[in-house]
Amino acid sequence: MVKKMILTVGALLLLFPAMAFADAPSTAMLNTGLNSLWVMLAAILVILMQGGFILLEAGSTRMKNAGHVAGKTIFTFGLGSLIYWAVGYGIAFGENGNLLYGLGKFFYNPPVLYSEDAGLSDSVFFIFQLAFATISLSIAWGGFAERAKLSSYLIFTIVFVGVIYPMVAHWIWGGGWLAEDGAQDFAGSTVVHLSGAAAALAATILLKPRIGKFNKDGSSNQILGHNQVYTTLAVLFLWVGWFGFNAGSTVAIETGFFGYVAFNTQIAAAAGAVAAMLISWAFLGKSDITTMLNGGLAGLVAITASCAFVEPWAAVVIGLLAGVLVFFSQKFFEKMKIDDPIFALSVHGAAGVWGTLANGLFATPELAETAGVGKAGLFYGGGLEQLWVQFLSVVVCGLFVFIVSFAVLYVIKKAAGFRVTEEQEIIGLDLSEHGAYGYPEQMKKAQQNLNA
Amino acid sequence: MNDPVLVQLLLQISAAELTAALRRLRDAAHSRMDALFPSLPLDEYYRQLNGVHDALIRRAVALAEAELARSGTGSPPVPYAYLLFGSGGRKEQTLSSDQDSGIIYENAETEEKELAAGNYFAHLSEKAVALLQEIGYPPCEGNVISANPQWCLPESRWKQQLEGWFETADWESVRYLLIVADCRHVYGSEELFTRLKKHFYSDMLARPVIVQRMLDNTIRHKMLIGVFGQLLKEQYGEDAGSIDIKYGAYIPMVNAVRLMAVQSQLRPTSTLERLNALVQAEVVTQEEAAAYSEAFLFFLKLRMIATENNKDGMYMNNGKLANHHLTKEMIEELKQSLKVGKRLQRQVQKLTLGRLKK
């Protein structure tokens, strides 16, 4: 033991003087390195959110579709990555563009090492942005669940990650026309969440509700997901991942601003979960777990735009209202007979809109200056100006994604077919699209009962 | 003050010789009751309707007895009583209530005779249940029915069973004890029934702890009104938008009033009679009882309106009231009544816990 220690200490002593002769890295170099490390970590967290979506979607749907619902996420994540590398990134962040779209950086080939004063590694920034694009894609799948053909996932991935999402990202983050106007969307309530939800809305309208969701008299049936524990774990996955999503979006650690962003994120999410639980309890007489989970997510979605622009009390208000909003939004879509199996429209759509608008109300002048985007909101003496900009960005981005997605999916519907046949839907997409069930034993039993 | 048409029907029921005739008479009585529904005061309506049900059941049991005699199984070896539980016991049957019944018979002198008696009453209950089914009374889903050996016993075994339930005092036993509290004699020896009830209350007195368990069971069903004073309706499925009058309004009140009555050793079984008795016993004030009765009568009325499905010739009802049956005024009254019901639940809780502390 003693011998070992002496050896170690000796080795270290030999090393240290040697290091003193090497060139010390400059502060800028260290800074870039630390930023890159932080954003890389954040990117990993955001990519892990795909795990959250796998569990969320699979848990919220039925056993017969579980393998398909879970597996297709990895497939589209893979395909989406290739498309984003080839095309999407260039449209979002290419340097030779205009206010509408970027050009350049197609089939992106980043520098191997970062330059001293880059501020952030280019390849890390790419991975971080790619993670965002594919999260938006996974949100859109909420509208496809349990009845869309696998081929439609393939085609839509190409269009969504290649063009639709990158355009919106360019407008708000890539120096596009909404960025010029000062639209505040720190980590993507609009860019990521509303875009995903608008695509989901287009899909679910074109697909029509799942078999058995609505009755002839207009009432709806509850198609319960097969595993509420998955759904709950999914929310925790997403919640944790969201620290990468929001706090990572500072893309720097210099002043430690990411800590404040993380702080706002946490209390808003907490408020969302609590508010949704209480509101469902008060209105239904029984507290609804699914609503509570959606409330937590809605709090996260809403604070995504505003986490860098508002004070803590406002973060709590934004989260609380998001939790309440998600409950009524779920009811609203059900009333409208729009089937929303994963609640993407309410969680990412309604809360995304609310979070983006909230900036126009609660953004403080100091924080707007720190973030370097836009102005103060209505409650901080900014008047209606910022609120108008926020409103505009919501309407324009929401409509753009909805219309283009609708058009693309409509073409798919007419040309190749969008929805599986009734028989396939009844036996489950695991079997119809992949040939094997995700839960073989259970489904075999169900089949036997069906035949008996 | 019975309706002359009904009096005539009751006479015909008690003279009917065939189940088919009883079924026809029941249908006739139903249409008569339908016609009377708008004009009769509701308590009077229920009194008359339950008179009809009692007559039908009485006659069906008598016919079952006669048929056993005809088929060579013989006549009752010992005196017995046909008992009603549930809504029948409380004289609160609607046009579509199911059978909740039991049989108690006198102890036989020898073991051999007891075996024979058991055999006879097993046959009798089976026959009676089958006949009643033909007349349109579906069997009880909870299997509280005379054809179930647990509810068809000699007096000694009934007493043992009661003691066992008081002893165990688990959730299921307590449920059974509360069912027995609503027990009423409809046919046969009234004396046997009276002795059973007496035994129930003496056991009850010996174990005040049971009341705590009864309270848990009693307030299990919540009044369907939310914190904002809104109605808590069905959210999904074919009954979406309707309100579960049976389990969200009627049963919670029945339960609460029953528990108060049982604690005060009051024998009436109908909820309205129990409320009157509670006033006499000075457990609730005249005003409280009036408010409770009014709310309860409103629930009874809505229960009559609630959807009726005629399934396989059975008169059925799932106790859920569809939205389109409710006018604006009725919704308002329903909300007020539910609030009264909630107050009653609180009062029972306070009363019971207060007594336990003493």
Side-chain angles (χ1 to χ4, degrees):
Chain A
M1 187 70 206
V2 178
K3 208 169 160 191
K4 248 185 200 168
M5 271 178 66
I6 292 171
L7 265 174
T8 316
V9 172
L12 279 174
L13 278 172
L14 276 172
L15 268 173
F16 265 102
M19 278 178 72
F21 292 108
D23 274 341
S26 68
T27 320
M29 188 83 169
L30 275 177
N31 199 27
T32 306
L34 282 172
N35 289 345
S36 302
L37 189 60
W38 164 235
V39 177
M40 186 67 225
L41 174 65
I44 292 170
L45 282 171
V46 177
I47 288 169
L48 266 178
M49 285 171 71
Q50 293 291 355
F53 280 111
I54 288 172
L55 287 173
L56 185 73
E57 256 194 273
S60 311
T61 50
R62 287 160 293 178
M63 233 178 207
K64 61 183 179 183
N65 301 319
H68 158 80
V69 159
K72 70 95 187 41
T73 304
I74 297 294
F75 166 64
T76 57
F77 177 53
L79 179 62
S81 299
L82 295 177
I83 300 298
Y84 195 71
W85 164 71
V87 188
Y89 187 62
I91 290 179
F93 295 102
E95 58 282 88
N96 308 315
N98 49 38
L99 289 177
L100 275 179
Y101 51 87
L103 282 175
K105 295 185 178 171
F106 296 118
F107 298 93
Y108 187 47
N109 189 7
V112 177
L113 303 173
Y114 57 75
S115 55
E116 192 174 327
D117 53 355
L120 182 67
S121 154
D122 288 325
S123 37
V124 168
F125 185 70
F126 170 84
I127 293 179
F128 191 54
Q129 290 302 330
L130 177 150
F132 274 57
T134 48
I135 286 293
S136 190
L137 182 69
S138 283
I139 292 164
W141 298 149
F144 288 59
E146 298 200 285
R147 61 214 194 282
K149 284 183 170 179
L150 189 68
S151 56
S152 65
Y153 282 95
L154 192 149
I155 301 168
F156 192 70
T157 299
I158 297 172
V159 184
F160 188 80
V161 180
V163 183
I164 301 174
Y165 172 87
M167 298 244 328
V168 177
H170 179 79
W171 295 348
I172 295 184
W173 292 338
W177 66 281
L178 285 170
E180 294 281 291
D181 281 356
Q184 295 166 343
D185 185 11
F186 188 68
S189 283
T190 295
V191 178
V192 179
H193 295 280
L194 181 57
S195 294
L201 177 63
T204 203
I205 288 176
L206 280 168
L207 279 169
K208 306 219 164 64
R210 289 167 293 171
I211 295 173
K213 175 62 192 173
F214 296 104
N215 302 318
K216 280 199 183 112
D217 64 356
S219 61
S220 57
N221 299 309
Q222 207 170 13
I223 301 181
L224 290 170
H226 87 278
N227 192 331
Q228 202 159 53
V229 180
Y230 276 3
T231 320
T232 309
L233 261 179
V235 171
L236 188 79
F237 256 69
L238 290 166
W239 191 322
V240 172
W242 228 286
F243 287 109
F245 207 94
N246 285 1
S249 290
T250 55
V251 293
I253 55 174
E254 291 131 358
T255 52
F257 186 48
F258 68 91
Y260 184 75
V261 170
F263 171 92
N264 272 348
T265 301
Q266 176 66 15
I267 54 177
V274 171
M277 185 69 141
L278 294 180
I279 200 82
S280 69
W281 204 344
F283 266 85
L284 306 176
K286 288 196 171 137
S287 57
D288 184 42
I289 298 282
T290 307
T291 304
M292 182 273 294
L293 297 173
N294 288 339
L297 293 179
L300 287 162
V301 169
I303 202 63
T304 295
S306 44
C307 49
F309 296 96
V310 302
E311 293 183 330
W313 75 269
V316 172
V317 172
I318 290 168
L320 285 174
L321 285 175
V324 173
L325 179 68
V326 87
F327 172 76
F328 290 107
S329 173
Q330 285 169 208
K331 297 270 156 230
F332 167 77
F333 284 115
E334 213 154 62
K335 266 247 159 73
M336 302 298 291
K337 292 206 206 165
I338 294 174
D339 189 10
D340 186 13
I342 326 288
F343 303 101
L345 308 181
S346 300
V347 168
H348 301 276
V353 169
W354 158 238
T356 310
L357 292 179
N359 269 329
L361 303 173
F362 300 110
T364 75
E366 299 80 22
L367 286 165
E369 208 184 300
T370 311
V373 187
K375 302 196 174 74
L378 181 64
F379 300 151
Y380 286 87
L384 290 169
E385 199 185 331
Q386 190 60 38
L387 190 59
W388 171 248
V389 173
Q390 297 301 105
F391 175 75
L392 196 67
S393 69
V394 163
V395 171
V396 171
C397 297
L399 273 180
F400 169 76
V401 176
F402 177 77
I403 290 168
V404 179
S405 301
F406 194 92
V408 170
L409 293 170
Y410 186 79
V411 171
I412 293 177
K413 186 175 176 174
K414 291 292 154 193
F418 191 8
R419 184 167 175 159
V420 295
T421 64
E422 215 167 297
E423 289 81 359
Q424 290 171 327
E425 190 174 334
I426 288 166
I427 59 167
L429 275 71
D430 278 12
L431 209 57
S432 81
E433 304 301 282
H434 311 282
Y437 281 119
Y439 289 95
E441 288 94 339
Q442 283 86 342
M443 292 316 297
K444 203 172 156 193
K445 225 184 261 166
Q447 201 97 41
Q448 282 163 350
N449 291 343
L450 211 71
N451 295 335
Chain B
M1 74 175 270
N2 268 357
D3 174 70
V5 180
L6 274 181
V7 173
Q8 189 59 35
L9 278 170
L10 286 175
L11 279 173
Q12 284 175 299
I13 287 171
S14 58
E17 288 297 336
L18 293 167
T19 42
L22 279 181
R23 177 62 198 242
R24 266 199 313 279
L25 288 167
R26 180 178 182 188
D27 292 343
H30 273 211
S31 36
R32 187 63 200 157
M33 291 313 297
D34 272 340
L36 292 175
F37 185 61
S39 57
L40 272 187
L42 209 70
D43 46 350
E44 183 56 27
Y45 174 86
Y46 264 90
R47 201 182 63 72
Q48 298 203 7
L49 176 60
N50 278 272
V52 172
H53 282 309
D54 283 4
L56 283 164
I57 295 166
R58 217 173 273 140
R59 191 60 198 159
V61 178
L63 285 181
E65 216 179 273
E67 191 151 332
L68 285 195
R70 230 191 345 264
S71 67
T73 316
S75 51
V78 286
Y80 75 98
Y82 203 82
L83 309 173
L84 293 186
F85 303 100
S87 59
R90 292 191 303 272
K91 304 182 202 165
E92 285 161 12
Q93 293 200 75
T94 60
L95 292 172
S96 52
S97 290
D98 56 2
Q99 303 187 39
D100 305 288
S101 55
I103 286 180
I104 180 170
Y105 51 93
E106 216 159 69
N107 298 324
E109 294 126 27
T110 65
E111 217 164 280
E112 199 178 329
K113 280 184 180 169
E114 183 159 326
L115 218 67
N119 200 20
Y120 174 84
F121 287 110
H123 277 99
L124 177 68
S125 57
E126 206 169 299
K127 192 77 224 168
V129 166
L131 287 185
L132 283 166
Q133 223 165 321
E134 279 176 52
I135 310 172
Y137 294 96
C140 166
E141 278 173 22
N143 211 11
V144 178
I145 197 154
S146 58
N148 176 355
Q150 198 185 356
W151 299 94
C152 176
L153 296 170
E155 190 182 354
S156 58
R157 298 264 311 279
W158 256 115
K159 288 179 177 171
Q160 273 172 24
Q161 179 157 272
L162 284 183
E163 278 159 23
W165 285 337
F166 275 108
E167 189 77 35
T168 326
D170 61 2
W171 193 87
E172 203 177 13
S173 315
V174 168
R175 188 175 86 90
Y176 291 146
L177 288 171
L178 290 170
I179 288 170
V180 173
D182 288 349
C183 174
R184 187 166 64 89
H185 153 270
V186 70
Y187 182 80
S189 155
E190 179 136 27
E191 207 195 318
L192 272 170
F193 158 76
T194 314
R195 291 211 292 265
L196 180 70
K197 263 283 157 89
K198 209 170 155 194
H199 196 85
F200 176 85
Y201 280 106
S202 61
D203 265 347
M204 178 92 202
L205 267 182
R207 292 174 211 276
V209 195
I210 199 88
V211 176
Q212 170 69 50
R213 309 300 303 267
M214 285 183 167
L215 179 67
D216 297 339
N217 199 307
T218 289
I219 54 175
R220 172 170 58 104
H221 291 290
K222 302 263 182 306
M223 287 283 172
L224 288 183
I225 187 153
V227 286
F228 306 116
Q230 84 279 25
L231 297 178
L232 300 174
K233 296 175 179 173
E234 297 290 314
Q235 297 286 314
Y236 295 101
E238 55 181 15
D239 294 318
S242 63
I243 177 148
D244 189 350
I245 289 292
K246 183 169 179 191
Y247 287 105
Y250 166 72
I251 289 284
M253 263 195 124
V254 166
N255 283 349
V257 173
R258 179 202 297 120
L259 186 64
M260 284 208 272
V262 165
Q263 282 189 76
S264 304
Q265 313 266 321
L266 304 172
R267 302 296 168 93
T269 55
S270 104
T271 304
L272 292 170
E273 286 169 11
R274 277 171 173 164
L275 279 169
N276 282 335
L278 284 166
V279 175
Q280 301 296 318
E282 296 182 353
V283 179
V284 297
T285 66
Q286 189 84 50
E287 293 75 40
E288 284 167 341
Y292 296 153
S293 298
E294 196 187 340
F296 187 73
L297 279 167
F298 187 64
F299 295 151
L300 285 182
K301 182 167 152 196
L302 294 182
R303 214 171 141 238
M304 291 301 304
I305 302 174
T307 42
E308 265 175 54
N309 321 310
N310 218 325
K311 250 191 222 153
D312 310 325
M314 297 288 147
Y315 285 103
M316 310 261 270
N317 172 344
N318 69 356
K320 287 174 184 170
L321 185 63
N323 214 9
H324 60 85
H325 284 306
L326 289 167
T327 64
K328 218 171 175 187
E329 292 76 38
M330 281 163 83
I331 289 175
E332 211 28 64
E333 191 174 351
L334 178 56
K335 286 178 178 174
Q336 292 311 321
S337 305
L338 285 168
K339 278 180 198 158
V340 171
K342 230 175 171 174
R343 205 160 68 221
L344 170 66
Q345 283 190 316
R346 273 200 297 273
Q347 189 179 3
V348 174
Q349 209 163 355
K350 236 169 92 182
L351 199 81
T352 309
L353 295 176
R355 278 198 189 180
L356 283 177
K357 265 181 217 152
K358 266 184 227 164

